[in-house]
Amino acid sequence: MVEKGDLVAIFHSIHRVMKAEKVLKGEGAAFQLIPVPRQLSSDCGLAIRYAGGHGAEIMAVLQRERLRPAELYRFDGTDFQREDI
């Protein structure tokens, strides 16, 4: 479940999201692999969810591994707002 303040990173392919999951697990990062929320669309079907407080850490790992998400959204409690990456 996505909670207020959480970030949802969407990737272009299942391959990229699974690679991101592997890398983040290896780093001991706090995140969850979730189905893409209905309000958002993605061909992949899976996304990475993490608390906003872990945003810099998660993005640093993803950028280092050249796994930048295609889209990033923050949940404001009722809707998803697109974030700049």
Side-chain angles (χ1 to χ4, degrees):
M1 175 164 189
V2 181
E3 297 179 10
K4 185 176 181 176
D6 283 353
L7 292 160
V8 176
I10 296 176
F11 297 82
H12 281 302
S13 70
I14 191 74
H15 173 75
R16 290 185 66 77
V17 76
M18 298 305 286
K19 188 170 181 181
E21 177 191 31
K22 182 179 178 181
V23 167
L24 291 170
K25 274 186 180 178
E27 293 287 325
F31 75 97
Q32 286 186 324
L33 187 64
I34 64 167
V36 173
R38 285 187 207 140
Q39 300 95 317
L40 308 175
S41 66
S42 169
D43 292 334
C44 172
L46 293 174
I48 300 285
R49 180 196 66 78
Y50 52 95
H54 296 284
E57 170 193 349
I58 298 283
M59 288 306 292
V61 171
L62 294 176
Q63 296 227 9
R64 183 186 74 222
E65 298 294 324
R66 297 183 182 171
L67 289 169
R68 189 172 152 172
E71 299 174 48
L72 184 64
Y73 295 90
R74 182 179 301 275
F75 187 61
D76 67 12
T78 56
D79 200 9
F80 289 90
Q81 304 300 319
R82 190 165 183 164
E83 295 274 308
D84 291 331
I85 298 177

